[in-house]
Amino acid sequence: MNIHEYQAKSLLKKYGVAVPRGGVAYTPDEAAKVATELGGPVWVVKSQIHAGGRGAGRFKNDPNGKGGVRVVKSVDDVKSNAAAMLNQVLVTKQTGEAGKEVGRLYIEEGADIKRELYLSMLLDRGSSRVTIVASTEGGMEIEEVAHSHPEKITKVAIDPVEGLQGYHARKVAFALGLEGKQVNAAAKFMTAMYKAFIDLDMSMVEINPLVVTGAGDVIALDAKVNFDDNALYRHPDVEELRDPTEEEASETEATKHGLNYVKLDGNIGCMVNGAGLAMATMDIIKLYGGEPANFLDVGGGATKERVTIAFKLILSDPNVEGILVNIFGGIMRCDVIADGVVAAAREVSLHVPLVVRLEGTNVDLGKKILAESGLPILSADNLADAAEKIVKAVKEAA
């Protein structure tokens, strides 16, 4: 789960992470009020959307104008810029051409920036440890730095038993070229950040840029936080921060029913049980010249009702021109999948080619249900056969 910058800073601040003062605003008048309360002489008006590159982005209604992050020097300018930004669609490198509508702004006090650095914490799957990633190249996308200047990136893995120690923080601080009281400030910053990461079950926290001010303070000028969805049940207060308007409606609906669904840009819908098998299914669709429209894992204990909902989710995407159901029945019974597919296909009046590959528990019963349904369902003997048939069927139906 992702949250907005202002929400991330609010959470981090509770743990002692240094952040500039600021407030959220939903109208130009609210923006002016927040600016007045903060005091001047400089404010930053920030669009709040779940995407990076906001400053370099451009609004659809003013492609040659200013970006989604603006530095202003009067309360009147705060209000006028807020009016120009709110309810407009901001397009960045991460949003794609569709962009995202700005429904709220974060009004923040200006900072005396001396240096811009990069700092993040994430779970490194290779070492199974929380890892600090730091760089002197703040303000840039870390992927670009890793590609062009890998020597400027420092990584420090934290032993989960030991936790973050002073020597970890000092190693990172020295790698960032900090000195004097900046080292202690950075150590305090990282200690607080690590505690927040562990306590709140974060999967990633990124501070870009991490700023050293003219006074030598170390503060988070921007903050991006992701949470482990599987741990949200332990943090109802965090889950309340979810902004449904920033999420794909179909993905939000899937979550309500315990389905793992991610919308993609292709035209062949996939319904699979198991994340690994789902990834393999998408790969083989591409191998045979098709493009998957989604990732959808119905799980090992799906019911007929859940399968029906999954089928409807796939067909709710207007780009879907064919569907491939690939089930290996272990815990998941093939007859349950077959019942769900038939029920859903009848309920939504199936109008696209459907290929089903079943294998495992109750496979013969599942195939019998499909064969006797009277629906135009193509049966496949194996995954390769299924992928080849659905790609061919979609092309012939086009």
Side-chain angles (χ1 to χ4, degrees):
M1 187 187 90
N2 298 329
I3 58 176
H4 289 291
E5 173 196 357
Y6 76 92
Q7 295 169 324
K9 286 181 173 176
S10 176
L11 287 177
L12 292 171
K13 184 179 179 181
K14 292 177 182 178
Y15 282 85
V17 175
V19 300
R21 294 180 304 130
V24 66
Y26 295 86
T27 68
D29 287 336
E30 288 180 2
K33 181 181 179 182
V34 172
T36 301
E37 292 172 351
L38 290 174
V42 178
W43 299 265
V44 186
V45 183
K46 297 183 171 184
S47 301
Q48 297 297 287
I49 59 173
H50 289 181
R54 294 168 295 163
R58 291 295 180 267
F59 287 93
K60 272 193 173 182
N61 68 326
D62 188 14
N64 297 317
K66 298 177 182 179
V69 177
R70 304 179 182 182
V71 179
V72 297
K73 296 183 178 180
S74 74
V75 174
D76 287 342
D77 284 345
V78 169
K79 185 174 182 178
S80 62
N81 278 276
M85 298 160 73
L86 282 167
N87 305 315
Q88 299 300 326
V89 176
L90 179 62
V91 179
T92 78
K93 289 170 64 176
Q94 293 186 10
T95 64
E97 294 182 3
K100 289 191 173 183
E101 184 174 331
V102 177
R104 63 190 84 182
L105 302 170
Y106 188 46
I107 313 301
E108 193 171 66
E109 64 181 352
D112 176 17
I113 302 172
K114 183 179 180 181
R115 292 183 65 203
E116 292 190 5
L117 309 170
Y118 175 92
L119 180 68
S120 69
M121 290 182 184
L122 51 85
L123 183 61
D124 179 8
R125 297 185 184 277
S127 64
S128 297
R129 295 183 174 188
V130 175
T131 300
I132 300 174
V133 179
S135 174
T136 54
E137 306 302 297
M140 294 178 60
E141 291 187 14
I142 195 64
E143 293 84 1
E144 293 181 8
V145 179
H147 176 72
S148 56
H149 299 288
E151 74 283 358
K152 294 185 178 181
I153 294 178
T154 297
K155 296 181 181 180
V156 178
I158 310 299
D159 186 310
V161 175
E162 184 181 34
L164 179 70
Q165 299 295 312
Y167 71 89
H168 292 127
R170 288 192 293 273
K171 180 178 180 179
V172 174
F174 293 144
L176 292 175
L178 301 177
E179 54 189 23
K181 71 173 188 177
Q182 298 170 4
V183 175
N184 290 334
K188 180 181 178 183
F189 187 104
M190 283 181 263
T191 300
M193 185 170 158
Y194 180 79
K195 182 168 176 53
F197 187 101
I198 298 299
D199 285 359
L200 299 177
D201 288 303
M202 296 177 180
S203 56
M204 189 273 290
V205 54
E206 182 182 62
I207 310 299
N208 189 22
L210 172 72
V211 165
V212 179
T213 69
D217 297 322
V218 178
I219 62 174
L221 206 62
D222 194 5
K224 181 186 296 183
V225 170
N226 294 346
F227 296 92
D228 180 355
D229 289 344
N230 295 314
L232 285 176
Y233 73 94
R234 300 197 294 204
H235 308 285
D237 54 332
V238 170
E239 191 161 18
E240 287 179 0
L241 300 177
R242 186 189 295 272
D243 181 359
T245 64
E246 288 290 326
E247 300 176 358
E248 182 69 38
S250 54
E251 293 178 12
T252 302
E253 183 66 20
T255 301
K256 293 179 183 177
H257 299 283
L259 298 168
N260 294 314
Y261 175 89
V262 179
K263 186 178 182 301
L264 302 174
D265 297 327
N267 62 346
I268 297 177
C270 308
M271 183 167 71
V272 191
N273 66 319
L277 187 59
M279 296 296 288
T281 301
M282 293 191 294
D283 285 344
I284 204 164
I285 286 173
K286 290 181 71 71
L287 180 65
Y288 279 88
E291 289 293 335
N294 63 271
F295 168 96
L296 175 54
D297 171 15
V298 295
T303 61
K304 173 184 174 181
E305 290 71 26
R306 188 185 293 182
V307 171
T308 303
I309 291 168
F311 210 83
K312 289 180 180 179
L313 276 172
I314 294 173
L315 289 172
S316 68
D317 181 355
N319 295 324
V320 169
E321 298 175 355
I323 299 174
L324 170 56
V325 177
N326 181 25
I327 299 298
F328 185 84
I331 300 173
M332 183 76 255
R333 289 164 31 204
C334 293
D335 58 308
V336 172
I337 290 289
D339 280 335
V341 168
V342 170
R346 285 176 174 159
E347 191 170 334
V348 300
S349 300
L350 183 67
H351 58 281
V352 297
L354 171 62
V355 173
V356 179
R357 178 256 183 167
L358 298 176
E359 197 61 66
T361 305
N362 289 357
V363 61
D364 292 334
L365 178 56
K367 289 182 177 180
K368 181 181 178 183
I369 291 171
L370 295 176
E372 294 177 354
S373 67
L375 296 170
I377 299 174
L378 298 173
S379 182
D381 296 326
N382 53 57
L383 182 50
D385 182 43
E388 186 175 14
K389 283 181 175 177
I390 190 60
V391 171
K392 180 181 178 181
V394 167
K395 288 181 178 178
E396 289 178 349

